[in-house]
């Protein structure tokens, strides 16, 4: 066992002494182009040759972690604005009682969909996109109902 430990320590020492300086001299070992992020004089078309990577590693992370409920604040804000538009249209007479009920039911369906999506504590990108798509459609419905010349008297 002692001979194994001595061999392991000797190998680790040689590795640290022999390979570390070689890695320090080899810029490609660190993921940098030409050692310091500088290109061949015109990296990415930048005239001073510095490039736009500014010495950062060339490999971007495949996944950038976000907050589990990222984008939820914007969705809630859009829902609140749409509800205010519906209520304003109803109170000013541009939206009839039937249209008001239908538009508010659509808002309720979107809110229920949102609750179902976030019930697992995470709002996936495709779920967020679906909510935005439904909110876009609801917004078009609000505009159409407000401009259809049906008046509440």
């Amino acid at each position: 066992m002692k001979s194994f430990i001595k061999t392991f320590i000797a190998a680790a020492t040689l590795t640290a002494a022999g390979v570390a300086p070689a890695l320090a001299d080899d810029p490609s070992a660190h993921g940098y182009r030409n050692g310091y992020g500088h290109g061949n004089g015109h990296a990415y078309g930048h005239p001073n040759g510095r490039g736009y990577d500014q010495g950062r590693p060339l490999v971007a992370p495949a996944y950038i972690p976000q907050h589990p409920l990222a984008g939820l604040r914007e969705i809630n804000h859009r829902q609140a604005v749409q509800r205010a538009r519906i209520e304003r249209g109803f109170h000013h007479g541009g939206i009839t009682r039937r249209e008001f009920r239908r538009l508010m039911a659509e808002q309720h369906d979107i809110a229920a969909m949102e609750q179902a999506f976030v019930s697992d504590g995470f709002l996936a990108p495709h779920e967020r996109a679906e909510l935005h798509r439904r909110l876009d459609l609801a917004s078009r419905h609000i505009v159409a109902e407000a401009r259809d010349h049906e008046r509440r008297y």
Side-chain angles (χ1 to χ4, degrees), residues 1-152:
M1 183 70 180
K2 286 184 180 182
S3 63
F4 172 75
I5 293 174
K6 287 181 183 179
T7 306
F8 180 74
I9 292 173
T13 305
L14 288 176
T15 303
V19 176
L23 286 176
D25 294 335
D26 184 14
S28 65
H30 300 291
Y32 295 96
R33 187 178 61 241
N34 290 347
Y36 301 101
H38 300 283
N40 57 2
H42 295 288
Y44 300 108
H46 201 278
N48 67 7
R50 288 178 26 177
Y52 295 111
D53 59 346
Q54 298 295 317
R56 294 182 203 101
L58 294 177
V59 178
Y63 173 73
I64 299 172
Q66 293 182 346
H67 188 273
L69 299 175
L72 199 56
R73 182 179 298 171
E74 180 186 2
I75 289 169
N76 290 334
H77 177 72
R78 288 187 68 188
Q79 287 174 319
V81 168
Q82 286 184 2
R83 285 190 177 115
R85 287 170 52 203
I86 294 168
E87 290 172 2
R88 188 171 51 246
F90 179 68
H91 291 299
H92 289 292
I95 294 177
T96 65
R97 182 163 289 151
R98 182 182 297 173
E99 293 168 345
F100 176 80
R101 284 191 206 124
R102 188 170 42 239
L103 292 171
M104 289 306 276
E106 184 176 25
Q107 292 296 313
H108 178 74
D109 292 344
I110 293 170
M113 179 186 294
E114 175 190 355
Q115 288 300 315
F117 285 162
V118 300
S119 65
D120 62 353
F122 182 77
L123 185 63
H126 71 277
E127 294 170 340
R128 186 172 35 256
E130 176 65 20
L131 286 170
H132 280 294
R133 189 187 70 73
R134 290 286 303 269
L135 286 167
D136 292 341
L137 184 63
S139 181
R140 288 193 296 271
H141 290 161
I142 295 167
V143 170
E145 296 296 354
R147 294 181 181 176
D148 66 357
H149 300 295
E150 292 181 19
R151 305 295 290 171
R152 184 177 63 84

